[in-house]
Structures are given as structure tokens and as C-alpha cells.
Amino acid sequence: MAEINKAPRGTCDVLPQDSAKWQYVEDKMIETAKIFGFSEIRVPVFEHTEVFTKSVGDTTDVVQKEMYTFLDKGDRSITLRPELTAGVVRSVIEHGLLSGPMPLKVCYIGGCYRYEKPQAGRLREFHQFGVECFGAKSPAADAEVILLADHLLKNLGLKSYSLHINSIGCPECRKNYHAALKEYFRSQSDRLCGTCLDRLERNPMRILDCKSPVCSEIAAGAPVVLDYLCDECREHFEGVKSHLTAAGIDFSVDPHIVRGLDYYTKTVFEFVSTSLGAQSTVCGGGRYDGLIEQMHGAPTPALGFGMGIERLLMIMEAENAAMPESKKPDIYLAPMGEAAALKCTALCKALRDEGFIALTDITGRGLKAQMKYADKIGARFTMVLGDDELTANKGKIKCMESGEQTEISLDEIREKLYELAYYDGITADIDSLIK
Ligand code: ATP
Ligand code: MG
């Protein structure tokens, strides 16, 4: 029986003490996307199952083994999104965005669901930041999307990563490549796993992405797609490399990258980190020029990437990258008695209106317990308010770090905190001091 106090395998809670890190990287993601001209899009966590089977591909691991699919109460087959590209493509077609100004550039952050074997860096619910760019077929677009990922990783202070690129060609050049792959894998068919035997006839490129050790070993000796590119695809790949070089970005060409989803064409790429262990890919993406048409939209070149946020945070931790802590309360007002409690509520409201993190007692406990609490939550300043303070309209503001106390008028708390904010970097925006 499922345990009521245990999260499902492969899921993680982000606890209050860790959420500041998530907010920090998510803010950086949206901020970075913005300076490259990408705007956020939000799509549902579930879609009709066909959205994924028709795009991700029914010979991929994701569709064959990893999808959370169920019938809803109306007997519709529904799937929790294993990735966001398919849903974003469905959405931009449905809302006619592809007939607007081109290129259309969107970004997203969201949960993904894959029934995988949970291990470090591999979860059943994980989160991706991603971007998609529609309506640009030039190699400059491939470079721009790659540069965006690189810009973000650099801005987060990461060092241990490298960029690997490849081209897997278009359906045209893939015909010859598939024939060569089939011939090669047929010669090894007695050693391939059951799933790959099925893939051998239907989609031999998928064998290159199989995680079984024997299949990976066989795949290592397979013909490489770069040797089979048509002129257009070869030229495009050269263009991507030139743009990356022009931007001064280091990369290496890895002919073994094929990516785990069927919709990719031409450029594919991965950012890999040595801080990650076995699950070393933090970001993967590429071009998918045929997908929009495949999903019944007007033919539109497109490309994008998905970046795993949990893996990104693992790298940041491993590299000791600078990360903000949760903000501490600026002031805790400790009331003694009912009248003081009312005053504290009013004072807190006024302080919060100014942007300070101001807290007071909402449990009705005694002064000693309140002060213990203020200390535990790391309040920078405290002030005790009892009947005497109310009568005198004065109180002692105490700096918790130094123990220093200053008597001030209750009407001056705001000014005092501003003054302290100026020297002490406490929460309220310093700009508001100037106005
Ligand atoms: P892998 O080869 O590691 O299984 P993938 O090719 O399946 O990755 P994509 O579908 O390209 O991954 O997803 C993009 C990114 O999302 C990955 O590079 C990774 O950072 C992250 N990711 C994918 N699957 C998981 C997972 N199960 N748990 C955590 N992060 C994941
Ligand atoms: Mg995978």
C-alpha cells in the first residue's frame, strides 16, 4: 500500500530552505531568455497522448517506456508531458502564432514526467528550462539558441561544462545513412537487446541512443551520420560552426550525439558537465524542421533546447557556485498584551508597504518564546512592545547581531530601518530611499 507520508519514487520536494536557489536560477533563465528576445509561454502539464507519440516518436525510449499515460474520466488518453517542445508546438499552431511576425521565440520552465529508474540526476518528476525558436532556418539561429544556453551557464558561474555539437541531417540524407546503419546492426543482431531488434527495421538511429551496455558498445562502432550529410546539411553545419567560432564559443564535434527524441534534424547539441557523474548532460537540443508540419501546422523551420534544472543545481552545488540564501526578516515586533498586538499589526502593515520583511507574533505566546523564535528565524532587528512603550510611543530597536539597542519613537521605525538599510543592506529597495 502506498505510504501517505512518503513522496512517490523519483520525485523531490523543494523545501523552504532551498526554494531561494530555485527562484534564483529560474529568474536568471527568464532574464537570459529575455535579452535574446524570447518570451515565456506556459502550456498544460498534460496533453492528448498523440501530441507526444506523433512528435517524440513511437520508437523512442520516452514513448516506449517512460510516459505517464492514463485514460481520463471521459475515456480520453492523456499523458503527463515528458518534455515541453511537443506541447509548445501544439500551442503555437493552435493559437495561430506561426502566422505572426517571424521568428517567434518562446521560452518555458516546467515539470516533466518520465517513468525512469530513479537515480542521481534522473527523476520521474524533473524540471526543464527551455527555449524554442520558430521560423528561422539560418545557421545563425542554431548558434543563437546555443549561445543562449552558454550565456546562462556562464552567468550562473559554471565552469565544468563543455559544448558538443553534431548534425544528424535531414530525411533526405538520412535515407542512405539508415541503409548503412541497418547493414551494420544486422551484422550484430544476435547481440542487440529486444527493443533494439524491433528498432533495427523501424528506426535504426534509435539503437545509437540505447542505454544498454552491449547495445552502446555495438553503437560505438556504427557508421557516423556526418559522413552521410547532403550538401545542404553539410553547409548548414559549417555555418553553425562558423557562427559559434565568431562568438568565441568553444565546442567540439561529437558524431555520436543523436538525441533521444525523433523529431530532430540537422544540428543537435548537448552541454555536458564533468561535475555530474553518470547523468552528465545538463542541456540538450537541436533543430526540428519537420515537426510543425508533422503536427499539422504550416511547414516551419524550428529549433530549441531543454535544460534540466535539477541537474543544473547539482552542478552549481558541486562547483560551489554563488547562490543566494533565503532572505531573513528585517524586523520582528514582539507584542506583550492585546493593545500592543494591535499596534504591531499596524506597524507591520506600514513596514511591509515599504517593502521590509516585518513579522510579529501570530501564536499568542509569551515574550521569551517569541524572542527565541525571532533568533531562530534570523531576524536582523527586534523590538518589544508592551503597555509602557505604547504610552510613551517609544521602543528599543535591537540589533540581534551586536545586541546594541537604540531608543526611538514608534513613528520612526520606518525611518530607522531605512537608515539601517542604507548601511546594512537590509531588504527594502535602496532606490526607495532616494525618492
Ligand atoms: P538522458 O540521456 O540523460 O536520459 P535525455 O536525452 O532523455 O537525457 P532530454 O529529453 O533531451 O534528455 O531532456 C533535456 C534535459 O532534461 C536533459 O539534458 C537533462 O538535463 C534533463 N533530464 C532529462 N531526463 C531527466 C530525468 N529523468 N531527470 C532529471 N533530468 C532529466
Ligand atoms: Mg532520457
Side-chain angles (χ1 to χ4, degrees), residues 56-75:
V56 171
D58 53 13
T59 55
T60 58
D61 268 357
V62 169
V63 168
Q64 286 191 328
K65 305 179 185 163
E66 298 171 1
M67 291 209 305
Y68 278 91
T69 297
F70 57 95
L71 286 181
D72 73 3
K73 290 187 195 303
D75 268 345

Side-chain angles (χ1 to χ4, degrees), residues 61-62 66 114 116 122 209 211 260 311:
D61 268 357
V62 169
E66 298 171 1
R114 296 185 191 179
E116 303 206 64
R122 191 171 294 287
D209 205 42
K211 300 266 186 325
R311 288 191 196 171

Side-chain angles (χ1 to χ4, degrees), residues 330-331 351 356-358 381 397 408 412-422 426 428 433:
D330 294 317
I331 189 161
L351 290 170
F356 290 107
I357 306 178
F381 296 92
I397 189 165
I408 56 169
E412 280 168 13
I413 299 182
R414 177 178 155 274
E415 281 70 21
K416 188 70 191 167
L417 282 179
Y418 269 137
E419 192 186 304
L420 292 163
Y422 198 77
I426 65 179
L433 276 171

Side-chain angles (χ1 to χ4, degrees), residues 114 116 121-123 126 128 211 259 281-283 306 308 311:
R114 296 185 191 179
E116 303 206 64
R122 191 171 294 287
L123 296 159
F126 64 98
Q128 276 187 0
K211 300 266 186 325
R259 314 283 310 119
T281 309
V282 62
C283 173
R311 288 191 196 171

Side-chain angles (χ1 to χ4, degrees), residues 149-162:
D150 181 72
H151 187 104
L152 174 65
L153 298 176
K154 276 210 179 87
N155 265 10
L156 289 170
L158 303 187
K159 295 185 179 73
S160 72
Y161 69 89
S162 51

Side-chain angles (χ1 to χ4, degrees), residues 256-268:
H256 293 288
I257 299 177
V258 287
R259 314 283 310 119
L261 315 173
D262 264 359
Y263 48 64
Y264 288 112
T265 51
K266 290 185 174 160
T267 316
V268 288

Side-chain angles (χ1 to χ4, degrees), residues 89 92 98 102-105 132-139 141-142 232 236 263 265-266 286-293 297-304:
V89 168
V92 300
L98 298 177
M102 286 283 145
L104 169 70
K105 297 166 157 190
E132 313 293 350
C133 171
F134 300 95
K137 65 178 196 320
S138 147
D142 307 50
E232 190 203 320
H236 184 91
Y263 48 64
T265 51
K266 290 185 174 160
R287 187 168 269 286
Y288 49 90
D289 287 347
L291 181 60
I292 321 304
E293 194 177 5
T300 310
L303 75 161

